[in-house]
Amino acid sequence: MASGFDYRILQWTLQEIRVLCIDPDSNVSDLHPLRYKLKHISLQNVPVEHFCAVSYCWGTSKNRASIVLDGQDVTIPQITANALRNLSKVSSWPLWIDAICIDQNNLREKSQQVAMMGQVYAKAVSVMIWLGPSQISTADAMISMEKIYKQCLEVIGDLQNLNAHLYGTDGSPGFKYSNALLPDCDWPALQAFYSAPWFGRLWVIQEIGLAHDATVYVGSFSIGAEKVVLAARWMVHRKYARYCGGSETPGIESASSMYRPAGRTLANQLRRTHRAGCREARDKVYGLLGLLHEETASAIVADYTKPLVDVYAHAIRLALHEARDLSFLQFSAWYMSPKIRNDRARRLVQWVSCGFLMSQYSLDTQWPSWVLKLHGETSDESGACRNVLTFNRSTMGTSFGLQTKILDESHILSLRGLTIDTISLVGPIFTVNLLKNTAKLTKALRWCVQHGCKHRPTEESACIRDLAICLTCGSNKVNADAELHQEHIQAFALFLQGCRQLSPANLHKISGTLRRLLTCNSRQDFPVYWDDLWSTAINRRFFVTATGMMGMGPPSTKAEDLTCIMFGSEVPFVLRPLDLYFNLIGDAYVRAGGVPCNGKTLSNATGYGIPAENTRGSDLIHSFAQTRMAERWFDII
């Protein structure tokens, strides 16, 4: 922001913005102060006066630099001055740059300008992206990006085919990965390039996504922005991490999501931008306005005086309404608040029932359980668990479509649904530490086999199959349907063979196939299933219901919680009764008698049960046959 400068008021009704015009007598060399004049232009004019919009990262440095603005000496952030000095050398167009062209101390103006940000970048003749000074490896990084970009075009033929190539056409969910090779590249140089702080900002997604033309500048080097983001998308598709010591580069992951981001639903935008950072937590919503459908964007008014929880609650309701389903609520256990992450060590207690040291995840009672903490952490280490995938998604019949009602209390979400069962027993949480510790993982798996199969009426081989699929929430590491892959069950059998012998005290509780599997000698080929666990079960908790169903829920799942199907969702949720209300714990995978409990089984059902000819789901039929009267409203707080 420009300290010590008196701004002339912008005319909101004319959609005015300010742009910086370089003084004709100014010298942009490093030896002289920058001299600019502010000019008001209207975005309503046709055509709009030509200007370039600057996209850069503010950073956290408190260093300041002096410039002359309309004849006044003012100070601006040093990084802003660096961007202006370098970009003014390559363009003579007026520049729009947020730190100076918006009065950052005027919250009303800031809210109005934020609402227009999408138009600013869409109507600019060019967007100039400043990453900072160049490095020794910058030239090599740009050569590598050109190689990757060229390979991508050679494979897909036309950019219009990109999404079909990356997501497939078979209807299965999730991004598709390929084991095909990437070209010979300078990987350290690429990692250094994508490590620029700019790639971690949320605002830049719309700044680059709405641009008609965008160029990335690094010192005296430049490259087309489309090449930068498309190269990143292709690298992710072809598993670039194997060339980088097995580790992901956050900047590459972020850049991958920047390719043509406009036109998606609010829920999709919120999910895709979870890695992106911003100085103001409300910008997790406001920073997406330019990317949303017009009807959705018009329902959100940028207001920096509004409480954060109200901003998020409104956004979540709007996202559910726009999508007409509850799929975004599946990420409720994915966003972990910073408070939970920072206090985890303090809440570690001994889990008595099985001797595990487990994190006791608590709910934030000051924050509605259904309002996702969009500003929170989503890393594996923070305790976040990934959403349960749904395969062969069905279009729910009207009877099972989203049903909600508006209550006077804005912090209550009222949804209609039905109860599947009550959780009677909870087991281990598959934390990062547990999955990395062979002894703890072995102990956890023994517990799951013992308690998950103990009261099952099915044969042991069927129980093994159910458990193999249940522990990975119905999918595997490449987002494929585990139901259709016999090798998934075989990998689980090999995995069990890697377990050490059970103690004599526990052996008498298990017989036949299970005992033989659990007492085999250690093997080296069981990591295949471990990879599936790592990709799907991180931070999920195994549980058993009162009728013997098994499932994987969020880490805070407890006994006496309910597993429920909410109309408009194709996966179950775990709810916790609180007198007349409920807490939303998160989405879950629930399995009974060889059938996953999800919205597809309901939408294909007669009444609320599985068709009678489906013999695999006999216990599921029994469960749902009694739920007709259990349909009710759940008021979630």
Side-chain angles (χ1 to χ4, degrees):
M1 61 188 70
S3 299
F5 184 76
D6 294 326
Y7 285 93
R8 183 161 60 91
I9 300 298
L10 291 170
Q11 297 300 312
W12 168 245
T13 56
L14 299 179
Q15 291 189 305
E16 281 190 337
I17 63 171
R18 303 182 185 94
V19 293
L20 288 168
C21 301
I22 193 164
D23 193 309
D25 298 327
S26 180
N27 189 327
V28 296
S29 70
D30 296 341
L31 301 177
H32 298 83
L34 295 168
R35 304 177 66 90
Y36 291 96
K37 293 182 180 179
L38 276 178
K39 179 181 179 181
H40 289 204
I41 65 173
S42 171
L43 296 182
Q44 289 182 348
N45 291 344
V46 180
V48 175
E49 294 184 52
H50 284 183
F51 68 95
C52 292
V54 178
S55 176
Y56 71 113
C57 181
W58 280 34
T60 58
S61 174
K62 296 182 179 180
N63 294 336
R64 311 283 293 182
S66 297
I67 66 169
V68 179
L69 193 60
D70 286 348
Q72 299 181 43
D73 290 327
V74 299
T75 62
I76 62 174
Q78 180 67 58
I79 194 168
T80 305
N82 294 342
L84 286 175
R85 190 176 295 278
N86 283 273
L87 297 179
S88 293
K89 294 176 182 178
V90 297
S91 175
S92 59
W93 293 112
L95 299 177
W96 183 92
I97 190 165
D98 55 359
I100 302 175
C101 296
I102 298 176
D103 183 356
Q104 300 291 335
N105 293 320
N106 185 332
L107 289 182
R108 181 179 180 184
E109 177 181 306
K110 183 178 177 181
S111 297
Q112 293 171 343
Q113 291 287 291
V114 162
M116 296 166 53
M117 205 78 80
Q119 293 187 63
V120 170
Y121 284 91
K123 294 187 176 182
V125 66
S126 179
V127 172
M128 308 177 76
I129 300 166
W130 174 250
L131 297 189
S134 62
Q135 305 176 42
I136 296 176
S137 61
T138 299
D140 292 331
M142 292 192 173
I143 291 173
S144 295
M145 282 184 280
E146 293 280 3
K147 288 182 180 179
I148 297 169
Y149 179 77
K150 180 180 178 181
Q151 183 191 67
C152 175
L153 293 184
E154 288 174 349
V155 173
I156 66 174
D158 190 305
L159 289 179
Q160 298 300 322
N161 303 326
L162 182 64
N163 280 343
H165 188 88
L166 298 183
Y167 290 93
T169 56
D170 59 358
S172 60
F175 190 82
K176 299 296 184 291
Y177 298 93
S178 170
N179 289 319
L181 300 178
L182 285 162
D184 185 25
C185 295
D186 188 330
W187 295 103
L190 283 169
Q191 288 178 297
F193 180 90
Y194 284 101
S195 293
W198 182 87
F199 290 102
R201 286 189 62 223
L202 183 142
W203 279 103
V204 304
I205 299 173
Q206 74 166 358
E207 293 168 5
I208 191 174
L210 299 176
H212 294 297
D213 176 76
T215 304
V216 176
Y217 295 89
V218 189
S220 60
F221 296 93
S222 63
I223 185 173
E226 183 176 81
K227 293 181 178 179
V228 174
V229 297
L230 188 56
R233 197 130 183 85
W234 194 248
M235 282 189 279
V236 172
H237 169 60
R238 291 206 165 182
K239 302 180 181 178
Y240 72 94
R242 55 186 162 161
Y243 301 95
C244 304
S247 299
E248 293 182 350
T249 300
I252 294 178
E253 300 292 324
S254 296
S256 173
S257 68
M258 295 179 186
Y259 185 74
R260 299 185 180 178
R264 303 174 186 272
T265 64
L266 174 57
N268 186 280
Q269 297 287 11
L270 290 170
R271 180 178 59 81
R272 284 167 55 89
T273 58
H274 73 95
R275 295 175 183 264
C278 48
R279 294 161 62 98
E280 162 61 60
R282 295 171 184 82
D283 286 340
K284 281 289 188 178
V285 175
Y286 300 155
L288 301 174
L289 290 179
L291 301 173
L292 303 178
H293 297 295
E294 184 176 352
E295 181 180 354
T296 304
S298 64
I300 300 174
V301 178
D303 181 357
Y304 287 92
T305 65
K306 194 173 182 180
L308 180 63
V309 65
D310 292 344
V311 174
Y312 285 3
H314 178 66
I316 301 304
R317 284 188 189 277
L318 194 60
L320 301 181
H321 173 77
E322 181 186 30
R324 297 306 302 164
D325 64 37
L326 297 176
S327 57
F328 191 46
L329 284 189
Q330 290 179 236
F331 295 89
S332 57
W334 194 41
Y335 292 92
M336 304 297 291
S337 71
K339 177 182 178 182
I340 290 179
R341 178 198 61 186
N342 293 336
D343 290 345
R344 279 177 67 202
R346 180 176 57 81
R347 288 196 297 272
L348 282 172
V349 297
Q350 190 74 17
W351 187 49
V352 179
S353 64
C354 204
F356 295 110
L357 191 62
M358 292 294 174
S359 301
Q360 297 304 297
Y361 296 81
S362 64
L363 296 172
D364 185 349
T365 56
Q366 303 303 314
W367 190 280
S369 61
W370 60 272
V371 178
L372 279 63
K373 301 176 179 70
L374 303 174
H375 60 309
E377 291 288 340
T378 59
S379 66
D380 295 338
E381 291 75 16
S382 71
C385 57
R386 300 162 194 176
N387 64 303
V388 174
L389 295 178
T390 303
F391 297 91
N392 300 316
R393 292 179 61 87
S394 61
T395 53
M396 300 280 282
T398 55
S399 298
F400 301 100
L402 174 65
Q403 295 185 42
T404 184
K405 58 183 179 181
I406 304 299
L407 303 178
D408 293 336
E409 173 54 61
S410 62
H411 288 177
I412 298 178
L413 179 66
S414 189
L415 300 173
R416 196 157 183 81
L418 53 87
T419 301
I420 299 175
D421 205 351
T422 300
I423 294 173
S424 60
L425 190 63
V426 293
I429 305 172
F430 287 81
T431 62
V432 172
N433 289 335
L434 185 144
L435 287 173
K436 288 182 176 180
N437 187 306
T438 303
K440 290 183 178 179
L441 180 55
T442 298
K443 195 173 185 179
L445 284 173
R446 289 173 179 167
W447 193 96
C448 294
V449 171
Q450 176 183 333
H451 294 277
C453 299
K454 186 176 181 180
H455 302 294
R456 304 278 291 183
T458 55
E459 295 181 0
E460 289 179 345
S461 59
C463 182
I464 284 289
R465 183 179 187 278
D466 277 357
L467 189 60
I469 296 173
C470 178
L471 288 174
T472 59
C473 302
S475 62
N476 60 21
K477 63 182 178 182
V478 293
N479 295 338
D481 190 348
E483 297 271 357
L484 305 178
H485 294 269
Q486 182 61 30
E487 59 267 24
H488 183 79
I489 291 86
Q490 294 170 350
F492 180 62
L494 291 175
F495 195 74
L496 288 180
Q497 289 176 17
C499 295
R500 290 174 295 183
Q501 291 188 0
L502 286 170
S503 66
N506 289 332
L507 272 177
H508 73 277
K509 301 177 183 177
I510 301 175
S511 61
T513 305
L514 299 185
R515 181 185 300 184
R516 290 194 299 273
L517 285 173
L518 287 171
T519 57
C520 288
N521 293 327
S522 178
R523 297 184 54 148
Q524 299 299 316
D525 49 356
F526 65 76
V528 173
Y529 190 81
W530 183 90
D531 287 341
D532 292 344
L533 276 175
W534 185 270
S535 300
T536 59
I538 284 282
N539 296 316
R540 286 204 170 269
R541 186 170 217 169
F542 183 78
F543 64 79
V544 180
T545 71
T547 59
M549 300 181 188
M550 61 177 74
M552 293 289 278
S556 57
T557 301
K558 296 180 180 179
E560 303 303 324
D561 287 345
L562 303 179
T563 54
C564 305
I565 284 285
M566 315 305 295
F567 297 161
S569 172
E570 293 203 333
V571 299
F573 286 96
V574 176
L575 298 184
R576 180 164 300 155
L578 295 172
D579 296 326
L580 299 178
Y581 300 98
F582 296 86
N583 268 153
L584 174 65
I585 308 304
D587 67 328
Y589 183 87
V590 183
R591 190 168 187 81
V595 178
C597 303
N598 56 39
K600 182 172 176 56
T601 61
L602 285 181
S603 62
N604 293 340
T606 302
Y608 288 113
I610 304 298
E613 61 271 17
N614 189 338
T615 56
R616 294 189 309 158
S618 58
D619 55 344
L620 197 55
I621 298 170
H622 177 74
S623 174
F624 285 135
Q626 301 179 37
T627 58
R628 184 90 186 187
M629 301 303 295
E631 178 181 337
R632 57 162 298 171
W633 287 101
F634 295 89
D635 292 336
I636 303 173
I637 58 175

